[in-house]
Amino acid sequence: MSNSSNAENDDRRQQVNKPQKLHNFGKSFCAKYSTIEDVVSTRHHSNDFIQTRNQYIVERLKLICLFFAISVPASSLLDFIVFDSAQAKLLLVNRLIVSGVLIGLYQLIRRYRTVNMTRVVLTLSFLLPVLSYTATELLLTQTMAYRDIPLCFTLTPYLIVAMLGLFPLTTSGGVVLLSVIALPLAILEYIQYTGDYTAVIDKLWLFVLFGGICLWLQSGQMVMLMKLYRESTIDSLTGLINRRVLMRQVTEIAINSNAAQDSFSVMMFDLDYFKRVNDTYGHMVGDKVLVKLSSLLKRELRNSDVIARFGGEEFLVVMPHLELAQATQVALRVAEAIRKSSVMTDEQQEVTFTTSIGVTQYIADEPIAQLFKRVDDLLYQAKVQGRDRVENGITLP
């Protein structure tokens, strides 16, 4: 296939690089190193990591809901020992209501595992016990002095705060949850305030102390989860996602495309005569070529495109919302950029390289395996036809 004019390629590039308002599937946070921004917020997290972290949180959240659902009414045994019968019965009713709601939240998070649902259930599962504690303390202080309330009961909100440390939350997310928990406690202190500011300062200090430890634990878990995620999903040489993550993302893109009656295209790259490069210049130079190619793909493609190292010297790109004609122009432009690039050996020898590219468009409701076989066949055609070229097409079933 012949190359288009430079002017036409520039026009096509502007067209396909328009900002996308939909999911940014290709965005991948800190391929090799973690940053403070990754711990502070999810702004730079890839969609795949967000989903992975969500599943991790869901499993722990189910345990927390069950823990509170069982432990809250079980605490009534202590109530009947410490308080009189009338107070203990009122507390029992309060605890049973809380337990019932928590069981409902447990069932909800089991059925709906979306990120937004997880946020709602996570907030409610910690806010609800705090509200229960607030209502219970207001009830108790009407019939007994605060100093007579058992210490194990007054420490309840700090226990709740400490349990937040079980979740790998961002710092901003942790602060929001702590603020939600602190609000009813602050209202309770305002209602009960008798002029003893020392007691208020003591409680505030305890809350800040437990909250700080909680944020520290959350950040530590986030860093650990990021490290494990990168090691299992990011190619260490190129910084691109690996084949396993690619399959998850392209499946999600296909589902969204079918729902929106949209389409997307796929490009498969293979470095021409890569074995010859390794044999002539050594594997270290071969690695430089792979890194150079990956950096070119990142530079030439959109943030919304999914770029993966498919295996060896093969790379695969998924381009949401692009039809075959547009994707072909992108492939031609990328092939030209690769053709003009080079790497240097330690002896200052310039090594140039080219790629063969297959391009195809997704057909609604087709299996992903069929899509990949088609683009692989097109890549094979490009190699048979002489390499350093682009072959495109759509084979209808």
Side-chain angles (χ1 to χ4, degrees), residues 208-226:
V208 171
L209 176 64
F210 277 84
I213 294 174
C214 166
L215 293 175
W216 178 70
L217 292 173
Q218 290 172 350
S219 299
Q221 287 202 70
M222 177 66 81
V223 171
M224 179 188 67
L225 190 60
M226 285 179 179

Side-chain angles (χ1 to χ4, degrees), residues 181-283:
I181 293 174
L183 181 59
L185 297 176
I187 295 174
L188 175 64
E189 287 301 316
Y190 176 78
I191 294 174
Q192 294 182 330
Y193 184 65
T194 59
D196 185 6
Y197 64 87
T198 303
V200 175
I201 292 176
D202 287 342
K203 293 179 182 179
L204 178 62
W205 180 84
L206 278 175
F207 189 88
V208 171
L209 176 64
F210 277 84
I213 294 174
C214 166
L215 293 175
W216 178 70
L217 292 173
Q218 290 172 350
S219 299
Q221 287 202 70
M222 177 66 81
V223 171
M224 179 188 67
L225 190 60
M226 285 179 179
K227 183 176 183 296
L228 293 175
Y229 176 84
R230 287 194 301 273
E231 290 178 351
S232 63
T233 62
I234 302 297
D235 177 59
S236 60
L237 178 64
T238 62
L240 300 177
I241 61 174
N242 61 21
R243 189 167 181 166
R244 181 171 60 181
V245 182
L246 169 68
M247 296 304 297
R248 289 203 300 259
Q249 295 203 18
V250 74
T251 300
E252 184 178 352
I253 292 173
I255 292 172
N256 291 338
S257 295
N258 290 328
Q261 296 183 341
D262 193 8
S263 189
F264 63 92
S265 295
V266 174
M267 294 190 297
M268 183 175 283
F269 296 76
D270 187 271
L271 282 163
D272 297 328
Y273 304 111
F274 185 67
K275 184 177 184 300
R276 184 183 301 174
V277 174
N278 282 330
D279 292 342
T280 304
Y281 302 102
H283 289 277

Side-chain angles (χ1 to χ4, degrees), residues 250 264-269 316-319 322 324 327 357-362 371-372 375 378 391:
V250 74
F264 63 92
S265 295
V266 174
M267 294 190 297
M268 183 175 283
F269 296 76
L316 192 139
V317 177
V318 184
M319 298 171 288
L322 286 192
L324 182 62
I357 307 175
V359 187
T360 191
Q361 180 178 322
Y362 174 73
L371 173 68
F372 282 5
V375 75
L378 289 165
E391 290 292 332

Side-chain angles (χ1 to χ4, degrees), residues 277 280-281 285 288-289 292 338-353:
V277 174
T280 304
Y281 302 102
V285 175
K288 285 185 178 181
V289 172
K292 182 69 173 181
I338 293 171
R339 194 176 298 117
K340 294 178 179 178
S341 65
S342 63
V343 298
M344 301 297 294
T345 67
D346 292 339
E347 293 76 23
Q348 297 305 305
Q349 288 182 279
E350 184 179 25
V351 180
T352 59
F353 53 95

Side-chain angles (χ1 to χ4, degrees), residues 119-136:
R119 289 170 179 166
V120 171
V121 174
L122 180 63
T123 302
L124 291 178
S125 62
F126 281 89
L127 177 61
L128 189 62
V130 173
L131 291 175
S132 173
Y133 164 81
T134 303
T136 301

